[in-house]
């Protein structure tokens, strides 16, 4: 696999229908090649999700670990690419995208996702049935649902 490639496999014993494996690119110099590869990866993952007729996909802040992509750059590229995909394929069937990150940088990355969403999705944006929602990790019946939108998981 090369940067930007996406491979779909079974989820094994995990409670999911599939796992998408993706390859990022190490941040070097101005990072432009890493961001280009990241956008290609996200777009390809969304295309695979649509082809497999999955309605939901989750993305972590790709590249922010070992590849050293700054969280603000990664999250902005991911959100921008999701918006572009929905503009290109409004009837794709991909209805929910969960943006999440766990671990040491989880809170900072979640804040970067929120900032990226605010920068790319205006309140009157027709791509989302409802505005993006920050979800908590607690399971409760008050969690808002939407037919199409970006949801955050801290």
């Amino acid at each position: 696999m090369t940067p930007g490639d996406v491979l779909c496999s079974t989820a094994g014993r995990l409670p999911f229908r599939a796992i998408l494996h993706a390859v990022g690119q190490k941040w070097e110099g101005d990072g432009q090649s890493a961001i280009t590869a990241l956008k290609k990866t996200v777009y390809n993952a969304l295309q695979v999700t649509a082809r497999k007729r999955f309605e939901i996909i989750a993305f972590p802040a790709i590249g922010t670990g070992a590849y050293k992509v700054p969280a603000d750059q990664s999250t902005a590229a991911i959100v921008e690419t999701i918006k572009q995909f929905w503009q290109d394929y409004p009837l794709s069937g991909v209805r929910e995208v969960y943006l999440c990150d766990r671990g040491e940088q989880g809170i900072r990355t979640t804040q970067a996702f929120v900032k990226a969403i605010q920068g790319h999705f205006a309140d009157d944006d027709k791509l989302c049935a409802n505005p993006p929602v920050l979800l908590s990790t607690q399971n409760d019946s008050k969690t808002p649902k939407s037919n199409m939108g970006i949801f955050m998981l801290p």
Side-chain angles (χ1 to χ4, degrees), residues 41 58 64:
T41 299
T64 59

Side-chain angles (χ1 to χ4, degrees), residues 103-152:
E104 297 175 15
Q105 298 180 7
I107 291 174
R108 190 171 69 206
T109 305
T110 299
Q111 291 169 340
F113 271 130
V114 169
K115 185 177 178 184
I117 289 168
Q118 291 168 342
H120 288 286
F121 287 90
D123 290 338
D124 63 345
D125 202 319
K126 302 298 183 228
L127 288 175
C128 290
N130 292 311
V133 176
L134 178 63
L135 298 177
S136 73
T137 56
Q138 299 173 344
N139 292 329
D140 61 43
S141 60
K142 297 177 186 173
T143 302
K145 298 291 181 198
S146 162
N147 288 336
M148 180 184 241
I150 297 177
F151 299 89
M152 301 292 295

Side-chain angles (χ1 to χ4, degrees), residues 45-108:
L46 289 163
Q47 287 182 316
V48 169
T49 301
R51 270 197 309 271
K52 296 282 187 180
R53 300 184 192 272
F54 300 148
E55 294 181 357
I56 302 169
I57 186 171
F59 288 105
I62 300 168
T64 59
Y67 289 145
K68 307 290 186 207
V69 177
D72 62 329
Q73 301 262 352
S74 173
T75 56
I78 291 167
V79 171
E80 179 183 334
T81 305
I82 292 165
K83 183 174 182 175
Q84 184 63 54
F85 177 82
W86 277 343
Q87 288 172 335
D88 294 347
Y89 301 101
L91 302 176
S92 70
V94 179
R95 303 234 177 261
E96 296 179 14
V97 176
Y98 289 81
L99 303 173
C100 55
D101 201 9
R102 303 205 184 266
E104 297 175 15
Q105 298 180 7
I107 291 174
R108 190 171 69 206

